[in-house]
Amino acid sequence: MNIDILTLFPEMFRGPLDESLLNKARDKGLLDVNLVNIRDFTADKHKTADDSPCGGGAGMVMKVDVIAKALSRVAGRGSRVVFLCPTGKLLTQEKVKELAQTEHLVLLCGHYEGVDERVRALVDEELSIGDYVLTGGELPAMVLIDALARYIPGVVKEAESVKNDSFHDGLLDYPSYTKPEEFSGQKVPDVLLSGHHAAIAKWRRKEALRRTLYRRPDLLASAELSDEDRGLLNEIMQNG
Ligand code: 58G
């Protein structure tokens, strides 16, 4: 997967991309991230990338002509241009899976108080990582890249680990334990020590359903549930 990041602050990405999982993905050639400084596409000697808002008011607005130039340099047919902004559609695991299939992704990061409204016509979609405002789209772009990297084959150790993720199948994850068998009076559930694989699988599914029911009932409405799942949910609601 190839990603171009358009930003006024390319240095913000250096640390995060050079660490851990993402760095491994890049070393293995599974992920190619290219940083593009929007300022390189300014036309005047002061390298002006932003200007005061038409109609007056506080703050600065990123210029559409500069962004258009930068985009035309990196995006071609077959690239998908995503603009990270608080007014975008909320990013979900479903969307991450979809974007992970893209060969070439272009992430546009705004800064300051905003970008010229006409930038929206230059992008394929607008995404938000949550209902809060940040000083720039850089952290959201990093969040998206991190989430995407987990779907590139070879990045996450076990393919199983991605399959079992919270949200992967529309449910929260089941609880995990490791040694010691008892900590602070809390014991690892017997079934997990039983070696009975079918019983373990059933227990995990039930606990994933239980958590989702208690913590995120909104997710249950759109999760794909089998008849067995419905049976387990009934047990939970009847017996706790
Ligand atoms: C309108 C207003 C257009 C993403 C602001 C562009 C980006 C939060 C998120 C902007 C962001 C999120 C200005 C700074 C977007 C720019 C950027 N804040 N929730 N801030 O994903």
Side-chain angles (χ1 to χ4, degrees):
M1 174 172 222
N2 205 311
I3 303 178
D4 279 298
I5 307 172
L6 272 60
T7 170
L8 282 172
F9 301 93
E11 310 75 33
M12 278 186 74
F13 293 86
R14 302 275 182 220
L17 287 177
D18 296 345
E19 291 295 326
S20 79
L21 263 188
L22 293 182
N23 196 31
K24 252 177 35 197
R26 292 177 84 197
D27 279 351
K28 290 192 199 165
L30 301 170
L31 178 65
D32 183 16
V33 181
N34 183 36
L35 294 167
V36 177
N37 193 334
I38 294 172
R39 203 170 296 283
D40 293 343
F41 297 87
T42 51
D44 61 318
K45 69 171 179 188
H46 295 110
K47 296 188 186 289
T48 309
D50 59 327
D51 209 337
S52 45
C54 295
M60 296 296 267
V61 177
M62 282 175 74
K63 288 165 63 60
V64 62
D65 50 338
V66 174
I67 289 172
K69 248 191 175 169
L71 279 173
S72 70
R73 171 71 62 88
V74 298
R77 293 180 322 135
S79 355
R80 192 144 166 193
V81 182
V82 173
F83 176 43
L84 289 313
C85 62
T87 50
K89 269 182 75 178
L90 272 186
L91 180 64
T92 60
Q93 197 73 41
E94 214 36 59
K95 177 58 80 175
V96 171
K97 266 185 262 179
E98 180 197 320
L99 287 177
Q101 307 308 311
T102 328
E103 259 317 303
H104 183 213
L105 198 59
V106 178
L107 302 181
L108 175 61
C109 307
H111 224 93
Y112 308 115
E113 281 62 50
V115 302
D116 189 304
E117 183 65 18
R118 294 166 290 186
V119 163
R120 300 193 200 277
L122 305 176
V123 307
D124 295 313
E125 62 186 311
E126 304 173 30
L127 292 178
S128 163
I129 63 160
D131 290 336
Y132 36 81
V133 180
L134 302 166
T135 59
E138 285 77 10
L139 286 167
M142 275 186 258
V143 166
L144 176 56
I145 292 170
D146 191 287
L148 284 170
R150 302 185 65 257
Y151 281 94
I152 300 174
V155 172
V156 172
K157 240 181 254 132
E158 295 142 289
E160 282 299 302
S161 169
V162 170
K163 255 200 284 169
N164 291 335
D165 270 353
S166 282
F167 307 116
H168 183 89
D169 55 5
L171 298 180
L172 296 182
D173 211 351
Y174 57 75
S176 296
Y177 296 85
T178 187
K179 288 168 282 295
E181 278 182 28
E182 186 174 339
F183 176 75
S184 234
Q186 288 187 279
K187 291 173 83 173
V188 174
D190 285 334
V191 62
L192 298 181
L193 307 168
S194 70
H196 190 328
H197 298 298
I200 292 171
K202 183 177 174 188
W203 181 86
R204 286 180 167 163
R205 187 70 185 174
K206 188 172 181 179
E207 294 313 307
L209 287 161
R210 185 196 309 281
R211 283 191 154 180
T212 311
L213 176 67
Y214 290 169
R215 301 185 191 189
R216 291 293 304 276
D218 58 304
L219 294 178
L220 274 183
S222 35
E224 274 181 46
L225 300 180
S226 65
D227 288 341
E228 199 188 338
D229 289 333
R230 287 176 212 290
L232 292 172
L233 274 172
N234 278 332
E235 278 178 37
I236 294 164
M237 289 187 287
Q238 260 143 46
N239 313 320

